[in-house]
Amino acid sequence: MNLDPHLKDEVKKFLIRKMREESEIVTVVTAQPLTASQETAIRALIPESKKELNQEVDTSLIAGMIVKKGSKILDLSIKGRLQNLQNVLTK
Amino acid sequence: MENLGIDPKLIVAQLINFLLFLFVFKKFLAKPFASFVAKEKKEQEEHQAALIKSRQMEERIEKQEKDFKEKMKKEQATILDEAKREAEAVRKQLLDEAHAEAAEVRTRSLKQLEQEKAELEEAAKEHITRVGMLLVQEALDDVLTDDMKKKITDNIIKNSGKRISLS
């Protein structure tokens, strides 16, 4: 399939920009919606979240949070800790 | 002498006859007869010698045959002994090989059993842990109220440290 080289360039630039934007977005996943104080505390804790902070809810986490930015993930949830414990016990 | 019935002329004639006979015999018969007798004697002696020789040969052959039979018997016994020894050795070797193979099979089976046991234990441990964790998760979800969950989240945020860098 032969694409117009100009169109190809545009698509490439769009994809790169999209990836960059997504890699700059900080996503916080919690078991319940964040309260205002929690949101403030998180923004203070994570400098990168000052630009944009995305919130998601996952009740399976029980409590705590998971922080994601691009390909980096920081799991501070109860579910994550239980998972770590399981991994340690089954070693 | 005539009174006794003896005729002197007859006696003389008989004597002359006898002498003539002797002369003729000696001249014409004695030699051939003697040579005939000698020939016969010689032939008999030769025959006798041949008979003795033949008997000796027969005895020799008999002895040889006897010796040969004994030798064959001994060789047969030796071959049989050797065959028995070889058969015994082969039997022993086969037995040893069978024992070794049986031992190897046993060792391999034991090893396999141990391995399977370990794998089963590992799987059981993993399953128990997984189920345990699920139970804990479920229990926590049921036991913890929303307020308690919020407090836990607050504590986690508070205890995470001053800053978290994700760059």
Side-chain angles (χ1 to χ4, degrees), chain A residues 32 35 38 41 45-48 62-65 67 69 72 74 76 78 82 85-86 89-91, chain B residues 122 125-126 129-130 133 136-137 144 146 149-150 152-154 156-157 160-164 166-167:
Chain A
Q32 297 156 317
T35 58
Q38 283 173 342
L45 199 62
I46 305 166
E48 291 92 339
I62 304 170
M65 62 183 179
V67 181
K69 183 181 174 242
K72 293 196 173 82
L74 185 64
L76 300 170
I78 298 292
L82 286 173
L85 179 62
Q86 185 182 326
L89 288 172
T90 53
K91 259 190 204 173
Chain B
E122 195 58 40
K125 190 178 159 190
E126 210 178 297
T129 311
R130 198 161 12 103
M133 287 300 129
V136 166
Q137 263 179 259
L144 296 174
D146 285 350
K149 287 176 186 175
K150 274 197 180 100
I152 291 169
T153 308
D154 285 338
I156 287 170
I157 294 168
S160 295
K162 289 190 180 167
R163 272 176 185 251
I164 296 171
L166 292 168
S167 49

Side-chain angles (χ1 to χ4, degrees), chain A residues 4-5 7 12 34-35 38 40 45 64 69 71 75 83:
Chain A
D4 182 31
L7 187 62
K12 199 173 170 183
L34 286 172
T35 58
Q38 283 173 342
T40 313
L45 199 62
K69 183 181 174 242
S71 59
D75 192 342
Q83 193 65 48

